[in-house]
């Protein structure tokens, strides 16, 4: 069953300095029961606005939202269910624990609001604290606890209401890298135990990839692609998604007389199969670790020289010229070249995209997102 459904959800803001902004443009998506679904994208792409509309903190300009089979926002019918009646668990970036309450009272708070009886509160808080490794800290005040522990209080307070859907907005961004990794596992473990659906907002791609079953990548208020982390990485549908997930290296090419030339070199064609729908000016995209670097004579490839060699911990990075562009290649240490050495480069399963989308670049500048 789909637990969170967005149909044609749009949100417009009118700002004093930037004019009209379509923060969320016609979003359609369904999040399945028990799924961990991430919203991923650069700053200003609309992640938080979408989450706030699902939570009920923000009204829609158009469209409708359904949670666990119940409509909670329908713009056309003026239907709007307030956040406290949506039955969601929420954890936000700032820990948002109440400093004047001890840990027990912080966790118990949502149940007190719901007027649950004292015996049940005690039992449910105990359970939530056990699952977030807070047992024994009932009387302690949050200011005496670490960032990780404070974030656990926020998690405990979210699970104590036994929500079917949990909204997590950059919940780990205030923690140090080691703790972030631990908390990721803890969140997944909690999800396994309580079987809630997660919507996770982050701009950290490796965090999203580690935690998600599926992800939505968006840019400037538009959904660019929704898929599994693996498919988003291996089969990105646009240059934007390709460059947003993992390392990318792009070469502008010109197709002429059935041959592919890197911009700036009309002498040595690249040995690439031209896709059927290719225009004249295209971009060939690949990952720095999906390029063969060969000694001349080892095999065919584009002839060039090593410009720069950078020794990294687990691989060596080389920069080479292809036409008038610089190509980054990463290979295992056992493949070794010196700066100035002649070499051949060969792309392994590259992707093709149309040349730069100037309209998108202009809009990015207008929104001051560059
Ligand atoms: P970040 O990662 O920086 O939090 P985000 O992807 O969550 O970014 P949003 O906060 O959803 O992005 O913002 C989307 C767009 O809407 C941005 O251009 C932002 O400036 C604009 N915006 C968001 N909230 C408001 C508001 N209350 N008033 C006017 N504009 C807003």
């Amino acid at each position: 069953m789909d637990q969170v459904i967005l149909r044609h959800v749009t949100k417009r803001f009118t700002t004093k300095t930037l004019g009209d902004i379509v923060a969320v443009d016609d979003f359609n998506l369904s999040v399945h029961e028990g799924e961990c679904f991430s919203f991923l994208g650069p700053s200003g792409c609309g992640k938080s606005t979408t989450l706030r509309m699902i939570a009920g903190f923000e009204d829609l300009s158009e469209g409708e939202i359904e949670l666990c089979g119940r409509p909670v926002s329908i713009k056309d019918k003026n239907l709007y269910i307030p956040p406290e009646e949506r039955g969601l668990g929420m954890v936000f970036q700032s820990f948002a624990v109440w400093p004047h309450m001890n840990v027990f009272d912080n966790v118990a708070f949502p149940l007190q609001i719901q007027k649950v009886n004292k015996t049940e509160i005690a039992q449910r808080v105990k359970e939530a604290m056990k699952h977030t490794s807070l047992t024994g800290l009932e009387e302690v005040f949050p200011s005496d606890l670490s960032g990780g522990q404070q974030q656990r209080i926020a998690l405990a307070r979210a699970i104590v209401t036994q929500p079917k859907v949990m909204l997590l907005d950059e919940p780990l961004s205030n923690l140090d890298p080691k703790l972030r990794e631990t908390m990721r596992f803890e969140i997944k473990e909690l999800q396994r135990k309580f079987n809630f659906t997660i919507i996770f907002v982050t701009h950290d791609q490796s965090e999203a990839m580690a935690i998600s079953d599926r992800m939505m990548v968006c840019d400037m208020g538009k959904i660019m692609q929704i898929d599994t982390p693996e498919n988003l990485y291996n089969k990105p549908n646009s240059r934007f998604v390709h460059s947003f997930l993992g390392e990318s290296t792009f070469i502008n090419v010109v197709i002429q007389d059935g041959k592919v030339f890197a911009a700036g070199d009309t002498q040595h064609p690249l040995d690439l199969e031209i896709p059927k729908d290719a225009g004249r000016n295209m971009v060939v995209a690949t990952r720095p670790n999906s390029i063969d670097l060969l000694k001349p004579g080892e095999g065919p490839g584009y002839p060039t020289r090593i410009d720069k060699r950078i020794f990294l911990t687990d691989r060596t990075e080389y920069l080479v010229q292809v036409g008038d562009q610089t190509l980054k290649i990463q290979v295992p240490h056992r493949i070794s070249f010196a700066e100035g050495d002649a070499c051949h480069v060969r792309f392994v399963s590259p992707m093709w995209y149309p040349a730069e989308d100037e309209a998108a670049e202009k809009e990015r500048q207008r929104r001051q997102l560059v």
Side-chain angles (χ1 to χ4, degrees):
M1 179 191 168
D2 291 334
Q3 275 193 322
V4 181
I5 302 176
L6 273 63
R7 294 190 193 95
H8 302 293
V9 169
T10 294
K11 180 71 188 178
R12 285 183 282 271
F13 290 110
T14 301
T15 65
K16 273 194 187 133
T17 48
L18 304 177
D20 290 340
I21 296 278
V22 186
V24 173
D25 190 0
D26 196 21
F27 274 25
N28 290 285
L29 63 101
S30 306
V31 181
H32 315 316
E33 186 172 357
E35 189 173 37
C36 180
F37 189 99
S38 291
F39 295 171
L40 183 68
S43 195
C45 73
K47 307 179 290 289
S48 299
T49 304
T50 308
L51 200 76
R52 289 171 60 74
M53 289 192 285
I54 295 171
F57 296 132
E58 197 84 68
D59 199 6
L60 326 185
S61 303
E62 279 169 43
E64 50 187 78
I65 299 178
E66 201 175 291
L67 294 178
C68 306
R70 179 170 75 126
V72 290
S73 293
I74 305 181
K75 189 63 196 171
D76 281 352
K77 295 187 180 163
N78 265 336
L79 175 92
Y80 162 76
I81 307 285
E84 61 279 12
E85 291 171 29
R86 294 194 176 200
L88 298 163
M90 295 179 216
V91 180
F92 293 114
Q93 181 170 356
S94 52
F95 305 139
V97 288
W98 288 288
H100 60 286
M101 288 184 193
N102 66 22
V103 175
F104 182 95
D105 289 337
N106 259 287
V107 179
F109 188 74
L111 300 181
Q112 281 158 354
I113 297 282
Q114 289 176 10
K115 305 223 177 328
V116 175
N117 73 56
K118 275 194 173 162
T119 323
E120 193 178 338
I121 291 183
Q123 198 262 324
R124 278 166 67 177
V125 170
K126 187 174 168 199
E127 185 79 353
M129 290 186 61
K130 184 178 102 189
H131 288 298
T132 45
S133 310
L134 290 169
T135 305
L137 298 173
E138 288 78 358
E139 303 300 324
V140 178
F141 282 85
S143 55
D144 293 332
L145 296 173
S146 68
Q149 285 167 319
Q150 291 188 37
Q151 197 54 304
R152 284 198 185 95
I153 302 174
L155 272 173
R157 199 175 49 199
I159 60 172
V160 80
T161 57
Q162 300 166 344
K164 288 204 166 63
V165 178
M166 186 79 88
L167 306 182
L168 306 176
D169 191 355
E170 304 257 10
L172 310 179
S173 61
N174 285 334
L175 307 177
D176 68 60
K178 191 102 192 96
L179 195 54
R180 285 174 84 123
E181 214 176 308
T182 315
M183 292 294 293
R184 257 188 234 159
F185 282 110
E186 291 185 10
I187 290 171
K188 286 298 274 185
E189 198 51 31
L190 284 173
Q191 184 191 23
R192 207 182 51 75
K193 273 186 201 135
F194 293 94
N195 195 34
F196 46 74
T197 303
I198 293 180
I199 298 187
F200 191 88
V201 168
T202 179
H203 57 250
D204 180 330
Q205 45 160 295
S206 46
E207 190 159 281
M209 291 187 96
I211 202 168
S212 313
D213 298 304
R214 284 189 306 148
M215 314 196 289
M216 168 180 82
V217 181
C218 43
D219 182 33
M220 290 190 294
K222 289 212 168 6
I223 296 180
M224 302 302 287
Q225 193 170 355
I226 297 177
D227 214 325
T228 59
E230 201 173 332
N231 280 346
L232 284 167
Y233 183 80
N234 289 323
K235 298 175 189 164
N237 67 1
S238 63
R239 179 188 167 128
F240 175 83
V241 176
H242 197 293
S243 65
F244 194 74
L245 286 179
E247 277 208 70
S248 301
T249 181
F250 298 108
I251 293 292
N252 293 314
V253 298
V254 181
I255 299 175
Q256 227 172 307
D257 305 327
K259 289 185 179 149
V260 185
F261 293 98
D265 181 356
T266 48
Q267 298 294 308
H268 306 97
L270 299 168
D271 184 17
L272 295 172
E273 203 175 310
I274 304 170
K276 277 197 199 87
D277 52 356
R280 183 180 150 81
N281 295 305
M282 299 289 287
V283 174
V284 171
T286 183
R287 308 288 178 192
N289 60 8
S290 298
I291 301 167
D292 288 339
L293 186 59
L294 310 165
K295 308 241 158 89
E298 269 185 338
Y302 180 85
T304 182
R305 282 188 189 281
I306 303 292
D307 265 358
K308 196 157 177 56
R309 173 180 192 267
I310 304 156
F311 193 81
L312 304 172
T313 46
D314 54 352
R315 61 205 184 279
T316 311
E317 187 169 289
Y318 294 97
L319 301 182
V320 302
Q321 285 298 114
V322 173
D324 56 12
Q325 301 152 84
T326 300
L327 184 70
K328 190 199 285 182
I329 305 173
Q330 291 170 351
V331 293
H333 289 314
R334 69 189 147 74
I335 298 168
S336 184
F337 287 80
E339 288 180 5
D341 277 359
C343 61
H344 284 180
V345 296
R346 197 165 57 195
F347 297 94
V348 182
S349 319
M351 316 285 287
W352 293 73
Y353 302 112
E356 287 290 12
D357 179 354
E358 282 179 27
E361 261 334 287
K362 276 193 186 136
E363 178 61 13
R364 195 181 302 285
Q365 280 170 14
R366 185 179 80 82
R367 294 183 181 214
Q368 302 194 348
L369 295 176
V370 279

